[in-house]
Amino acid sequence: MPLQIITIPCLSDNYAYLIRDETTGQVAVVDVPEAAPVLNVLKDMGWQLDQILITHHHYDHIDGLEEVRKATGAKVYGAKADKHRLPPLDVSLTEGNTFKLGRQVCDVLDVSGHTIGHIAFLFKGAAAVFSADSLMALGCGRVFEGDFAMMWGTMLKFKALPDDTLVYSGHEYTMSNAKFALTIEPDNADLKARIKDIEYKRANDIPTVPASIALEKATNPFLRADLAEVKALLGMETATDAKVFGEIRSRKDRF
Ligand code: ZN
Ligand code: FE
């Protein structure tokens, strides 16, 4: 039985996700930018929240946590490495840990770079990964705490996932990411086709997430730093993959 996933817009451009194992009815939320939208959807669906899964310590991913915890009694899961700066955790996680939401197995990935201690939640059985501010639709998070080599290592973890895995990231930044991606690869046909789809979705107020790993690999410049064609476009034919990633990330910071 699959995982039911509801995308909940929060704040100005964040997403929280409610996920429900349909076999057992167990429910989790991934990140809590604010409490009210999450509690409202729970009420509308008639669901009880069992788990609060936190990707990283930034306020726009945890601000509603305590209110939702108090209202639901759900257990809080987060990175051990972030324990000192997250609200109290019931379960501390490191890479390689697995836990269950009902019958669904979740693998914990360390996807540091944006922050150190950023984790992603991978549900292989449902072909879904919750990546928040690590890999984003057509982009990646700004590298605040790690370095470019570390963030490139994180990109490689996503590249290694099965092509049909859907990436549920933490923000609706896709349109501005698309404009930047075009400056790196103006002739990428898959990218141009994807931008048409993004324009349609935004015009109709439809989230541009999730997107598949296959589509990200074909269009997201941050996953393409190891390709000879991308290195050539940047005049960096002999540079390491991590250096090329760093150049693309630096350009995006100035974009
Ligand atoms: Zn963040
Ligand atoms: Fe964020």
Side-chain angles (χ1 to χ4, degrees), residues 4 13 46 60 64 74 105-106 111 127 133 136 150 167 169 201 217 224 238 247:
Q4 189 177 350
D13 56 26
D60 62 315
V105 176
C106 180
V111 292
D133 298 358
M136 305 177 104
M150 181 187 286
V167 183
S169 51
K201 284 182 170 143
K217 286 197 298 194
R224 294 169 62 77
T238 59
E247 172 63 21

Side-chain angles (χ1 to χ4, degrees), residues 111-181:
V111 292
S112 291
H114 175 68
T115 64
I116 291 176
H118 193 313
I119 54 176
F121 299 97
L122 171 64
F123 292 85
K124 279 186 199 152
V129 66
F130 296 88
S131 61
D133 298 358
S134 56
L135 180 64
M136 305 177 104
L138 270 183
C140 73
R142 193 182 278 255
V143 178
F144 286 122
E145 294 177 10
D147 57 25
F148 292 143
M150 181 187 286
M151 192 59 148
W152 174 244
T154 285
M155 296 297 108
L156 290 177
K157 290 183 189 180
F158 286 106
K159 278 180 76 129
L161 297 179
D163 273 346
D164 64 349
T165 308
L166 292 178
V167 183
Y168 293 81
S169 51
H171 290 268
E172 183 59 60
Y173 289 162
T174 317
M175 188 65 104
S176 72
N177 288 344
K179 287 178 184 144
F180 172 73

Side-chain angles (χ1 to χ4, degrees), residues 21-97:
D21 172 44
E22 295 194 347
T23 308
T24 61
Q26 291 247 314
V27 176
V29 65
V30 180
D31 286 342
V32 195
E34 52 181 335
V38 172
L39 294 173
N40 287 340
V41 176
L42 282 168
K43 195 166 158 229
D44 288 349
M45 300 301 291
W47 291 354
Q48 282 217 334
L49 190 68
D50 300 290
Q51 301 174 356
I52 299 172
L53 312 181
I54 296 300
T55 59
H56 69 296
H57 72 91
H58 285 156
Y59 81 94
D60 62 315
H61 298 258
I62 63 171
D63 228 24
L65 194 160
E66 286 302 353
E67 195 179 333
V68 169
R69 186 210 304 258
K70 278 197 195 98
T72 63
K75 298 263 179 280
V76 180
Y77 294 63
K80 192 174 176 189
D82 263 346
K83 224 178 160 167
H84 59 290
R85 54 186 180 177
L86 286 174
L89 300 177
D90 296 296
V91 181
S92 318
L93 301 166
T94 52
E95 177 155 273
N97 286 164

